[in-house]
Amino acid sequence: MQIIKAKDYDHMSRMAANVIAAQVILKPDCVLGLATGSTPIGTYEELVRRYNNGDLDFSAVTSVNLDEYKGLSPENDQSYRYFMNDHLFKHVNIRQDSTYVPNGLEPDSAAACAAYDEIIRQAGGIDLQLLGLGHNGHIGFNEPSDVFETDTHCVDLTQSTIDANARFFASMDEVPRQAYTMGIGTIMRAKKILLVVSGKAKAQIVRDAFFGPCTPQVPASVLQLHKDVILVGDEEALSLIP
Ligand code: F6R
């Protein structure tokens, strides 16, 4: 694993954008695995800035996102499709029909997940997967568990996640209870993985995930077994690593 220590969040975002930009420049028709969440927002802003400067061309890129809430439409501003449109896709020249997010409106979980794995397989697999890190070590919606789930699957959101999301919805009934997520096997098959972490609150889990035992109780710890991982973190997030 390669660790890149950045000064602060903005520096982390520029360093992460360097890795993604290099991927797009070296292989213009690459498959990018993308993430939502607060950490990569600055990275996406930086990529948009470089696109606007004429330094990046996304016209041949395919993207596959990690996860989506089951039951949310792309128009719902809490959906991950909406997030990606808002933060990246509508600002660059990626073809909308080459951007994939699990279909939250497919009620048949098995069908939704199998279709998504097939999309990734047809695309030829993921060249570079961008990941954030949950406070409990989750990647995508792969939460701590007794096993590593390999393929795209449907997860039941924990009550704490449901409660935390409630503020974004008009009523409790509208809060998603489940999500579709890429599995650990799919993530591990990506040729290269870029993980972004920022802030003191992530320091302990960064240490546990990358310097503790490899266990499904800390899903990100499986990345210790991948041969090409770049961890880009700011000083606070990396402050507890040995
Ligand atoms: C996002 C995702 C999640 C986040 C993680 C960290 O698509 O799958 O695993 O990467 O929850 O989120 P932030 O960056 O908000 O701390």
Coordinates of all heavy atoms in Angstrom, one line a residue, residues 34-40 65-67 80 131-135 138-141 202, ligand 1:
L34 N -16.7 4.8 -8.6 CA -16.9 6.0 -7.8 C -17.6 5.9 -6.5 O -18.4 4.9 -6.3 CB -17.5 7.1 -8.7 CG -16.7 7.4 -10.0 CD1 -17.5 8.4 -10.9 CD2 -15.3 8.0 -9.7
A35 N -17.4 6.9 -5.6 CA -18.0 6.8 -4.3 C -18.8 8.1 -4.1 O -18.5 9.2 -4.7 CB -16.9 6.6 -3.3
T36 N -19.7 8.1 -3.2 CA -20.4 9.3 -2.7 C -19.9 9.6 -1.3 O -18.8 9.2 -0.9 CB -21.9 9.1 -2.7 OG1 -22.3 8.1 -1.8 CG2 -22.4 8.8 -4.1
G37 N -20.6 10.4 -0.5 CA -20.1 10.8 0.8 C -19.4 12.1 0.8 O -19.2 12.7 -0.3
S38 N -19.1 12.6 1.9 CA -18.5 14.0 2.0 C -17.1 14.0 1.6 O -16.6 15.0 1.0 CB -18.7 14.5 3.4 OG -18.2 13.6 4.3
T39 N -16.3 12.9 1.8 CA -14.9 13.0 1.6 C -14.5 13.3 0.1 O -13.6 14.1 -0.1 CB -14.2 11.7 2.1 OG1 -14.7 11.4 3.4 CG2 -12.7 11.9 2.2
P40 N -15.1 12.6 -0.8 CA -14.7 12.8 -2.2 C -15.2 14.1 -2.9 O -14.8 14.4 -4.0 CB -15.1 11.6 -3.0 CG -16.2 10.9 -2.1 CD -16.1 11.5 -0.8
N65 N -20.8 3.3 -9.9 CA -20.8 3.7 -8.5 C -20.9 2.5 -7.5 O -21.4 1.5 -7.8 CB -21.9 4.7 -8.2 CG -21.3 6.1 -8.2 OD1 -21.1 6.7 -9.3 ND2 -21.1 6.7 -7.0
L66 N -20.5 2.8 -6.3 CA -20.5 1.7 -5.3 C -21.8 1.3 -4.8 O -22.1 0.1 -4.6 CB -19.8 2.2 -4.0 CG -18.2 2.2 -4.0 CD1 -17.8 3.0 -2.8 CD2 -17.7 0.8 -3.9
D67 N -22.8 2.3 -4.7 CA -24.0 1.9 -4.0 C -25.1 2.9 -4.3 O -24.9 4.0 -4.8 CB -23.7 1.8 -2.5 CG -22.8 2.9 -1.9 OD1 -22.6 3.9 -2.6 OD2 -22.2 2.8 -0.8
Y80 N -28.0 8.5 -4.5 CA -26.6 8.7 -4.9 C -26.4 9.0 -6.4 O -25.5 9.6 -6.8 CB -25.8 7.4 -4.5 CG -25.6 7.2 -3.0 CD1 -25.1 6.0 -2.5 CD2 -25.9 8.2 -2.1 CE1 -24.9 5.9 -1.1 CE2 -25.7 8.1 -0.8 CZ -25.2 6.9 -0.3 OH -25.0 6.7 1.1
L131 N -12.7 5.0 -3.0 CA -13.4 4.6 -1.8 C -13.3 5.7 -0.7 O -12.2 6.3 -0.6 CB -12.9 3.3 -1.2 CG -12.9 2.0 -2.0 CD1 -12.2 0.9 -1.3 CD2 -14.4 1.6 -2.2
G132 N -14.4 5.9 0.0 CA -14.3 6.6 1.3 C -14.3 5.5 2.4 O -14.4 4.3 2.1
L133 N -14.1 5.9 3.6 CA -14.0 4.9 4.7 C -15.0 5.3 5.8 O -15.0 6.5 6.3 CB -12.6 5.0 5.3 CG -12.3 4.1 6.5 CD1 -12.4 2.6 6.1 CD2 -10.9 4.4 7.0
G134 N -15.9 4.4 6.2 CA -16.9 4.7 7.2 C -16.2 4.6 8.6 O -15.1 4.0 8.8
H135 N -16.8 5.3 9.6 CA -16.2 5.3 10.9 C -16.1 3.9 11.5 O -15.3 3.7 12.4 CB -17.1 6.2 11.9 CG -16.9 7.6 11.5 ND1 -17.9 8.3 10.8 CD2 -15.9 8.5 11.7 CE1 -17.5 9.5 10.6 NE2 -16.3 9.7 11.2
H138 N -16.6 0.6 7.3 CA -17.3 0.1 6.1 C -16.7 0.7 4.8 O -16.2 1.8 4.8 CB -18.8 0.3 6.2 CG -19.3 1.7 6.1 ND1 -20.3 2.2 6.9 CD2 -19.0 2.7 5.3 CE1 -20.5 3.5 6.6 NE2 -19.7 3.8 5.6
I139 N -16.9 -0.1 3.7 CA -16.6 0.5 2.4 C -17.8 0.1 1.5 O -18.3 -1.0 1.6 CB -15.2 -0.1 1.8 CG1 -15.1 -1.6 2.0 CG2 -14.1 0.6 2.4 CD1 -13.8 -2.2 1.4
G140 N -18.2 1.1 0.7 CA -19.5 1.0 0.1 C -20.5 0.9 1.3 O -20.3 1.5 2.3
F141 N -21.5 0.0 1.2 CA -22.4 -0.3 2.3 C -22.0 -1.7 2.9 O -22.9 -2.3 3.5 CB -23.9 -0.3 1.9 CG -24.5 1.1 2.1 CD1 -25.1 1.8 1.1 CD2 -24.6 1.6 3.4 CE1 -25.7 3.0 1.3 CE2 -25.2 2.8 3.6 CZ -25.8 3.5 2.6
K202 N -11.5 10.0 11.7 CA -11.2 8.8 11.0 C -9.9 8.2 11.4 O -9.5 7.1 10.9 CB -11.2 9.1 9.5 CG -12.5 9.6 8.9 CD -13.4 8.4 8.5 CE -14.8 8.8 8.1 NZ -14.8 9.3 6.7
Ligands
F6R1 C1 -20.3 6.2 -0.4 C2 -20.0 5.0 0.4 C3 -19.6 5.1 1.9 C4 -18.8 6.3 2.2 C5 -18.4 6.3 3.7 C6 -17.6 7.5 4.1 O1 -20.7 5.8 -1.7 O2 -20.1 4.0 -0.1 O3 -18.9 3.9 2.2 O4 -17.6 6.3 1.5 O5 -19.6 6.2 4.5 O6 -18.4 8.6 4.0 P1 -17.9 10.1 4.3 O7 -16.9 10.4 3.1 O8 -19.1 11.0 4.2 O9 -17.2 10.1 5.6

